[in-house]
Amino acid sequence: MARTTLTPDCIVRVEKSGNRFNAWDTDGNKRTSEITTTTRKKAFEGDYLLGRFTGRTGKVFWRRVEDVETTPTNTAPDTPSVEVPTDHAEVLGFIHNSYSLKPQGLMMTELKWKYLVRSAVRGKNIMMTGPAGCGKTMAAKALVNSLDRPDYYFNLGATQDPRGTLIGNTHFEDGKGTYFSESLFVKAIQTPNAVILLDELSRAHPDAWNILMTVLDYGQRYLRLDEQDTQATIKVADGVTFIATANIGNEYTSTRVMDKALMDRFTIVEMDVLNESEETELLNYMFPHVDSVLLGNVAKIATLTRSEANTDTARITSGISTRTTVELCGLLYDGFSLEEASEVSIYPQYDATGGVDSERTFVKQIVQKFCDDGSSDDLFNEDEMAEATNL
């Protein structure tokens, strides 16, 4: 049997903006969020095009294409596809019509999305807060893609050298001697209208907070390069917006209590935990080939755990995050059963100490209810079910 040759239904070229690799199709539409970072980076470094293909099972994937005659639209960062106006009346119209820019996969109320866009357009420092796995980083990246400005990403929770990351390092080479090398962050803050994402700010070392104090202060907006011989003072360029993500609360043991002075430099945008219907809608959007009843059961499990965690007599300390439900449904898509997927993605998050009275046993009972045919109603009474549904 002859092998069927797949034809791409979309061709993109990858361009670098800041430290991000953006993908543009031949009509000038941005396709960055549809393609993994690794795939985009390899395409840029290899200077080849990517094509979107649909397999026999309906799964969509991107891969290298060659010998394609195409002239992608010029979409350099200085000619954004979404122009943000400066006139007040036009700015108002842009903000209040911006909900159409929100990606469908981001579950966020219209009010909070408009508030997020308004804060960015007005050059505010924005802090995204909310429980782990609720979509803070996704919302921040969606905003970056919507405004289509030069953007830079810094994971402050992962760095062990805050001064090196935010200021730079002093190096020594034979024949050259000692010299100072500026960090990418220094370049980023000098880029007009750049959007700078400071991920996991609550996990950052206090030295990073001290360095950012003057950078984020609207009355100062500068960075002092103490390690440089001239001790230059770098001013933050016009229009630069900082977006930080933070987990705030006693349950996050790896985070630090954030300095009040630092917090006051941000406009707070709090992400909501999804209710059952929103969770179901999101999972059906992300996994259209998985049985919708099964996806609905995953949403019910998540809602029940969140409801229990918020009661005064909670038997578990935290509910299942949206990040976990997405991972679990990915396993369902790959052919695992609900019970198998829960075994590897949910149960390890809960303490097994205490045997039958442990958190893990309680969560297993919740999951087991939906692994059966759903006929057992012994675990929850009608009031508990109604309470969870109405959250």
Side-chain angles (χ1 to χ4, degrees):
M1 181 181 292
R3 182 177 180 180
T4 302
T5 302
L6 296 177
T7 303
D9 59 7
C10 179
I11 303 291
V12 302
R13 180 177 296 279
V14 179
E15 299 176 350
K16 192 172 184 180
S17 172
N19 62 351
R20 184 177 176 84
F21 299 91
N22 289 318
W24 305 90
D25 67 20
T26 52
D27 295 322
N29 299 313
K30 197 171 187 179
R31 302 284 186 173
T32 304
S33 60
E34 302 177 28
I35 312 170
T36 64
T37 302
T38 301
T39 301
R40 284 184 275 117
K41 183 178 181 181
K42 287 182 178 179
F44 175 79
E45 294 175 345
D47 193 25
Y48 56 81
L49 303 177
L50 293 173
R52 184 177 65 185
F53 298 84
T54 302
R56 288 180 297 177
T57 62
K59 185 176 181 179
V60 176
F61 58 94
W62 294 82
R63 73 182 184 196
R64 177 174 181 168
V65 292
E66 298 177 346
D67 301 325
V68 178
E69 295 183 4
T70 177
T71 307
T73 304
N74 180 16
T75 52
D78 59 346
T79 55
S81 59
V82 180
E83 182 179 355
V84 180
T86 56
D87 179 76
H88 179 62
E90 293 179 348
V91 169
L92 289 181
F94 178 81
I95 292 171
H96 293 283
N97 292 317
S98 65
Y99 196 59
S100 61
L101 300 176
K102 183 187 74 68
Q104 188 176 349
L106 175 63
M107 306 304 294
M108 193 174 188
T109 65
E110 183 173 357
L111 172 61
K112 290 196 174 182
W113 173 260
K114 289 180 179 179
Y115 181 50
L116 182 60
V117 171
R118 179 264 175 190
S119 299
V121 170
R122 293 302 189 188
K124 303 291 185 181
N125 302 326
I126 304 165
M127 179 176 289
M128 310 291 299
T129 66
C134 69
K136 297 184 294 296
T137 303
M138 180 181 180
K141 290 182 176 179
L143 176 66
V144 168
N145 287 332
S146 298
L147 297 182
D148 194 23
R149 292 177 169 179
D151 58 279
Y152 297 84
Y153 176 85
F154 300 91
N155 190 326
L156 298 184
T159 180
Q160 301 298 315
D161 181 14
R163 297 195 70 83
T165 299
L166 298 176
I167 294 178
N169 286 305
T170 301
H171 304 276
F172 176 82
E173 287 185 9
D174 291 338
K176 188 175 182 180
T178 301
Y179 66 96
F180 174 75
S181 177
E182 294 180 353
S183 69
L184 178 62
F185 184 76
V186 175
K187 175 186 176 182
I189 65 174
Q190 296 180 86
T191 306
N193 299 314
V195 180
I196 301 175
L197 177 56
L198 306 173
D199 207 7
E200 301 284 2
L201 184 61
S202 52
R203 296 180 183 271
H205 191 281
D207 283 352
W209 299 347
N210 293 332
I211 294 169
L212 290 170
M213 284 291 189
T214 56
V215 176
L216 298 170
D217 190 301
Y218 293 117
Q220 301 182 69
R221 302 278 278 183
Y222 71 83
L223 177 65
R224 186 75 175 269
L225 303 185
D226 296 326
E227 280 80 355
Q228 195 177 52
D229 290 340
T230 59
Q231 294 188 334
T233 298
I234 305 298
K235 298 293 290 184
V236 177
D238 293 337
V240 172
T241 296
F242 294 92
I243 306 176
T245 66
N247 294 322
I248 300 175
N250 294 331
E251 66 269 32
Y252 303 111
T253 56
S254 296
T255 62
R256 296 178 170 90
V257 177
M258 294 191 65
D259 189 287
K260 179 63 175 175
L262 183 68
M263 292 282 291
D264 285 344
R265 285 163 165 75
F266 288 96
T267 294
I268 306 296
V269 178
E270 186 178 31
M271 293 293 293
D272 296 319
V273 177
L274 303 186
N275 59 36
E276 183 183 325
S277 62
E278 292 169 336
E279 193 94 15
T280 302
E281 180 184 347
L282 173 64
L283 296 178
N284 275 282
Y285 168 74
M286 297 185 69
F287 302 96
H289 301 294
V290 177
D291 180 69
S292 59
V293 174
L294 192 54
L295 296 178
N297 286 342
V298 172
K300 285 183 172 67
I301 291 170
T303 302
L304 286 168
T305 61
R306 295 166 192 167
S307 174
E308 175 63 28
N310 288 327
T311 63
D312 294 335
T313 57
R315 286 163 284 186
I316 53 177
T317 54
S318 62
I320 297 171
S321 70
T322 296
R323 180 184 292 124
T324 297
T325 64
V326 170
E327 170 63 19
L328 189 149
C329 290
L331 293 170
L332 297 178
Y333 177 76
D334 288 333
F336 292 84
S337 68
L338 177 57
E339 191 165 12
E340 291 171 334
S342 301
E343 184 74 34
V344 295
S345 64
I346 295 180
Y347 300 159
Q349 300 182 32
Y350 293 93
D351 190 2
T353 304
V356 295
D357 295 324
S358 68
E359 289 192 351
R360 183 173 298 187
T361 297
F362 178 78
V363 173
K364 281 186 176 182
Q365 289 177 319
I366 295 178
V367 173
Q368 193 60 46
K369 176 180 175 64
F370 297 95
C371 291
D372 295 331
D373 60 7
S375 60
S376 174
D377 297 320
D378 296 336
L379 184 58
F380 299 100
N381 59 40
E382 294 182 0
D383 291 338
E384 288 176 314
M385 292 295 291
E387 180 185 357
T389 304
N390 293 328
L391 287 178

